[in-house]
Amino acid sequence: MLSRTADSLYWVSRYVERAEYLARILDATTRLTNLPHAYGGAGTEWQSAVSTAGCEEAFAKAYGEANERNVCDFLTFNPDNHSSIRNCLALARSNARAVRTALTSEMWDALNGAWLELQRFEKKRMDREELARFLDWVKNVSLVFDGSAYRTMLRDDGYWFSRLGVYVERADNTARILDVKYHVLLPANEQVGGSLDYFQWTTILREVSALTAYHWVYREAVKPLLIADLLILNRRMPRSLASCYENISRFLDALGDAYGRQGPAQRQARKTLANLNNTRIDDIFQHGLHEFISDFITENNRLGGTIIEQYLQ
């Protein structure tokens, strides 16, 4: 496969995954701001949304104050924000169009149809009710595209590059969600394990579609340690870091076998997967969740760069 084709397939999936992630962030933040004032929030929810999206500097230059109107505009339709939902879907479609023959008709129809529908959403006035409909639509676009890829793509290098884009992006997203909750959302004077903390963690589980899974796995009340265990180390949870790296390692190995050569990307993925498999959640909290997540994000970004250098240039 030509490197430019592989590159486009990789980024199509990353951009679609990122658009869904931004929709989940905004949906969760709206839920948090709707909590009764009696729970004592400190008004950091919209700032946390910007932090979780990883675009604090760009937002500060464009708006300054992190309130509902500014953050929603910046993360949904702002053309100057490279990672807004609008631009993610536009870039996904642009990359897909460049490799139209490498996609199945179902995948192309999902993206092209989404782009046309997006034009209609841009013309509407985004009150809370319309925003909720838009966010649900974005999540559904991702589900349809991902399902189309899973159900219709030939299992060859095109499929493997597409899946790598999904899981590298998803691992980054899950890590950022955990880190921001732990350091931004809960006010300094609020009790860990208190009512606000409980509702914030529950919302985080909803944000990654893991609330039901949590209760099935642990059968306990919501606890930060167990939530972190689910989203970091539990390979049965599709959005966990361990699950993402199990898939990343598998698809990189498939590429290595197909091309007859292993490289630094395979070695880095195996090393990260081994670290996750050999780590206990108690050890992570003992040494610092923030430090662990920061190191993971750095390593995940490094792997993304290595994949580009090894295969996509």
Side-chain angles (χ1 to χ4, degrees), residues 1-16:
M1 174 172 285
L2 293 175
S3 60
R4 64 175 177 269
T5 302
D7 182 71
S8 291
L9 290 170
Y10 174 81
W11 283 106
V12 166
S13 293
R14 285 203 69 163
Y15 285 127
V16 172

Side-chain angles (χ1 to χ4, degrees), residues 11-20 22-23 75-77 81-97 108 110-119 121-122 134 137-142 145:
W11 283 106
V12 166
S13 293
R14 285 203 69 163
Y15 285 127
V16 172
E17 184 73 18
R18 190 175 301 173
E20 181 191 352
L22 291 169
L75 295 183
T76 53
F77 295 108
N81 174 15
H82 181 77
S83 291
S84 68
I85 291 174
R86 179 201 179 278
N87 282 344
C88 284
L89 293 179
L91 289 165
R93 181 180 180 271
S94 176
N95 277 280
R97 192 174 182 179
W108 170 251
L111 277 181
N112 195 48
W115 174 250
L116 296 175
E117 183 67 22
L118 184 68
Q119 317 306 309
F121 271 110
E122 280 192 283
F134 172 69
W137 173 80
V138 173
K139 287 183 277 187
N140 189 62
V141 167
S142 178
F145 178 78

Side-chain angles (χ1 to χ4, degrees), residues 171 174-179 182 201 208 218 224-246 272-273 275-277 279-285 288-290 292-294 296:
T174 299
R176 290 181 185 277
I177 287 171
L178 273 171
D179 193 42
Y182 204 71
W201 279 113
V208 294
Y218 301 104
L225 185 90
L226 298 181
I227 292 173
D229 180 67
L230 181 71
L231 297 183
I232 295 174
L233 301 179
N234 195 315
R235 288 187 291 176
R236 292 181 294 165
M237 178 62 212
R239 292 185 178 275
S240 74
L241 306 187
S243 176
C244 288
Y245 263 80
E246 186 175 49
T272 300
L273 180 59
N275 288 339
L276 290 167
N277 288 340
T279 299
R280 296 186 311 115
I281 197 63
D282 291 333
D283 297 331
I284 292 176
F285 270 74
L289 178 63
H290 174 66
F292 176 87
I293 293 296
S294 295
F296 177 87

Side-chain angles (χ1 to χ4, degrees), residues 52-168:
T52 311
C55 51
E56 292 171 287
E57 186 175 339
F59 178 83
K61 289 180 180 178
Y63 294 95
E65 182 185 359
N67 56 36
E68 180 176 358
R69 181 177 179 180
N70 290 345
V71 173
C72 287
D73 177 71
F74 187 69
L75 295 183
T76 53
F77 295 108
N78 193 315
D80 297 323
N81 174 15
H82 181 77
S83 291
S84 68
I85 291 174
R86 179 201 179 278
N87 282 344
C88 284
L89 293 179
L91 289 165
R93 181 180 180 271
S94 176
N95 277 280
R97 192 174 182 179
V99 290
R100 174 68 184 82
T101 56
L103 300 176
T104 65
S105 60
E106 290 84 358
M107 294 170 70
W108 170 251
D109 288 345
L111 277 181
N112 195 48
W115 174 250
L116 296 175
E117 183 67 22
L118 184 68
Q119 317 306 309
R120 289 190 279 271
F121 271 110
E122 280 192 283
K123 297 174 183 177
K124 296 179 180 179
R125 188 176 68 86
M126 278 290 160
D127 56 22
R128 280 197 170 186
E129 185 176 348
E130 191 61 37
L131 177 65
R133 276 196 291 267
F134 172 69
L135 298 179
D136 285 341
W137 173 80
V138 173
K139 287 183 277 187
N140 189 62
V141 167
S142 178
L143 287 171
V144 171
F145 178 78
D146 196 58
S148 298
Y150 180 76
R151 292 171 69 95
T152 64
M153 281 192 86
L154 187 68
R155 269 32 176 191
D156 59 5
D157 45 358
Y159 179 77
W160 301 329
F161 281 118
S162 174
R163 295 296 89 188
L164 281 176
V166 170
Y167 290 111
V168 170

